[in-house]
Amino acid sequence: MAGTAAILFQLTLGTLVVAYTPVVPWIIGVFLLGLPLAFGVTRSRPGLFMPAVAIMTLTGVSPVFVVDAPLWGRTVNLRLVDDIPEGVGVAGYTTPRWRVAGEFASEARLSGGRGSKSYGTRRLAPLVGEGWRPELPVEVWVAGEIRDSGRILASHPQFWNESGGEYVRFVGVAVSGAQIIARDAAIKFGLKTLDEPLIVTRAPSVAGVLAEQYRAIARMAAVPLLAWAVCIILAAGFSKWREQRGR
């Protein structure tokens, strides 16, 4: 029970860190926190220490692969270019009179990590309000993914200027990379933008994205919990075997 509680704690803490803080270096602290948690949980069963370390440290960082949207918040109707609410209480936006300025788009290849094979392209373009002109600053950029596999995601640029749809705030480890693409695009086209512009992605609904993210987190939680259950069963079996040998 203590191990299960520690795993759920690490998962919750890691999820909050990814969604609401600059991920690096905070996620490193969550990773290292797995060490004392593992020690405390396995003090009476030192043979479980190494498996516990692996499970609890990796559980703490696993949300970086799943969380790319806020965990909660309201959907705001954007009206004024100079009044764009952000923060913990805002999950996304509706933009009935805004458009994606695709003529100022820029993109970069996506990969699973350093040295990993690329699997697609991330495209960034300004999301601008009614009456925007190129000499005015761009505060919001919309990010879309184009997969080499041909899979069409809800954020695909082909949907950017279709009627309906909402925009979810983009969070997590990929935000800094998206902001770099946005700043490069601004330099390329002679636009003005913020040092850390707001990044959003298009989706049919903000609420739907948040619900799917929670489902993904739940599926992810099943892996360390199952691994921990297997370790407990093996440890119990080994203890029973030693007890029978000692008779």
Side-chain angles (χ1 to χ4, degrees):
M1 293 298 293
T4 299
I7 289 170
L8 294 176
F9 173 79
Q10 279 289 82
L11 182 65
T12 301
L13 183 60
T15 299
L16 291 171
V17 164
V18 174
Y20 295 111
T21 70
V23 179
V24 180
W26 292 105
I27 199 65
I28 298 174
V30 178
F31 177 85
L32 295 176
L33 183 60
L35 293 173
L37 285 175
F39 177 76
V41 167
T42 62
R43 287 173 64 181
S44 61
R45 292 282 185 178
L48 285 172
F49 177 69
M50 292 307 296
V53 167
I55 291 171
M56 293 178 193
T57 54
L58 294 177
T59 298
V61 299
S62 59
V64 303
F65 302 105
V66 174
V67 177
D68 58 10
L71 302 175
W72 61 78
R74 69 188 193 278
T75 302
V76 178
N77 187 346
L78 284 187
R79 294 183 176 86
L80 303 176
V81 175
D82 57 352
D83 183 21
I84 302 175
E86 298 183 51
V88 174
V90 177
Y93 309 93
T94 59
T95 58
R97 295 188 177 182
W98 290 50
R99 69 179 180 89
V100 179
E103 64 271 26
F104 300 108
S106 186
E107 57 187 40
R109 295 294 296 172
L110 290 168
S111 65
R114 182 175 298 178
S116 299
K117 183 179 179 181
S118 61
Y119 59 89
T121 300
R122 172 164 289 132
R123 183 177 298 174
L124 271 289
L127 181 64
V128 297
E130 192 175 29
W132 177 84
R133 302 183 305 278
E135 59 268 23
L136 297 176
V138 178
E139 297 188 30
V140 187
W141 293 76
V142 59
E145 285 192 20
I146 304 171
R147 295 291 177 87
D148 293 340
S149 64
R151 180 186 176 194
I152 305 297
L153 304 178
S155 65
H156 195 286
Q158 74 180 35
F159 302 122
W160 277 355
N161 281 316
E162 287 190 356
S163 60
E166 298 175 348
Y167 291 90
V168 187
R169 282 203 306 116
F170 196 35
V171 303
V173 294
V175 168
S176 58
Q179 289 173 334
I180 291 172
I181 301 172
R183 291 196 297 267
D184 290 345
I187 294 171
K188 176 181 177 180
F189 295 106
L191 303 177
K192 301 175 184 176
T193 194
L194 307 176
D195 290 337
E196 296 183 355
L198 175 63
I199 307 295
V200 298
T201 56
R202 189 188 185 281
S205 77
V206 172
V209 171
L210 268 59
E212 177 54 37
Q213 182 167 260
Y214 273 111
R215 287 192 287 269
I217 292 171
R219 290 192 295 267
M220 181 180 63
V223 176
L225 290 174
L226 180 61
W228 183 243
V230 170
C231 289
I232 294 297
I233 292 171
L234 292 176
F238 181 71
S239 296
K240 186 69 174 177
W241 176 76
R242 289 186 61 183
E243 180 181 326
Q244 291 177 345
R245 281 195 62 184
R247 290 178 180 176

